[in-house]
Each structure stands twice: as structure tokens, then as C-alpha cells.
Amino acid sequence: VQLQASGGGLVQAGGSLRLSCAASGRTFSRYTMAWFRQAPGKEREFVAGISWSGAGRYHADSVKGRFTISRDNAKNTGYLQMSVLKPEDTAVYYCAAKNDPRISALHYDYWGQGTQVTVSS
């Protein structure tokens, strides 16, 4: 499956953005999907994950209550709604998918190219 992330940009602290991850090539609905982020000089962080049906979701403590992961299998697209953004949310955000039903930070086979999110104070 090929993934294309989009929706990043520059936003002021407290603002919102919605990232999209468009999938093509295989049946997107069969894959667990996730969002990761990586800030300069920091390790990649597992931000959120969602099961193939959307019934199971995980959000990292650092974003819980502010970010929401979702998906629309009919549109082969996943989303990350980000609200109350903080400067520490600044990073390149990547979507990923795997043919494994477990929501976790591990074993993702497919990655999007990344989209930059910059939050100004």
C-alpha cells in the first residue's frame, strides 16, 4: 500500500490542524494505521494508532485529549485531528500502516513521506 500524508503547516499555539493520510494500492481497510512524529534531534514518537475497523484507538499521553485519530475506509483515508497545538508538537508527522491487528508502535510495513507541522508560540 502507498501512503501520502498531507495537511501540515504553520499554526499558532492553541490552533488546530487536520492531517490526512491517503492510501492506494491495496485494501486500506485491512490495515492497522498509525501516526508517528519526529522532531529535530529527537527519537520518533508513536502518536496514535487505530484498528482496521476504527473500533480500537490509542493516543499517546502527550496528545491525549488534544489529538484524535480516525479513518474513513470508504475513502481509503486516515486522519489525525490536532487541537490545542503546542510548540512542542512541532515535528514531521508520518502516517504508517501494517497488516497486523495489534495497535502498537512496532512492525509497520508502509510509511508515508511525512508532513511538517510547525507550532509557533
Side-chain angles (χ1 to χ4, degrees):
V1 62
Q2 291 79 45
L3 304 175
Q4 179 77 33
S6 63
L10 173 63
V11 63
Q12 289 188 331
S16 300
L17 282 174
R18 188 177 78 159
L19 304 184
S20 298
C21 179
S24 61
R26 292 196 180 187
T27 307
F28 176 66
S29 61
R30 296 178 180 175
Y31 291 83
T32 297
M33 204 206 85
W35 289 93
F36 292 79
R37 67 185 180 185
Q38 188 163 23
K42 294 189 177 181
E43 293 187 354
R44 187 172 62 195
E45 179 186 7
F46 178 49
V47 174
I50 188 167
S51 64
W52 67 271
S53 68
R57 306 186 193 196
Y58 166 86
H59 297 86
D61 288 343
S62 58
V63 305
K64 197 171 293 182
R66 300 188 298 120
F67 291 11
T68 302
I69 190 170
S70 64
R71 67 192 297 163
D72 185 339
N73 288 337
K75 295 182 178 180
N76 286 342
T77 304
Y79 304 98
L80 185 68
Q81 178 66 49
M82 306 186 295
S83 303
V84 194
L85 282 161
K86 304 176 181 180
E88 51 264 43
D89 294 319
T90 295
V92 178
Y93 284 71
Y94 300 90
C95 59
K98 62 178 177 178
N99 189 11
D100 177 343
R102 295 168 293 182
I103 300 172
S104 73
L106 302 176
H107 307 310
Y108 286 85
D109 303 305
Y110 307 99
W111 293 83
Q113 83 290 2
T115 185
Q116 176 71 46
V117 172
T118 303
V119 184
S120 63
S121 57

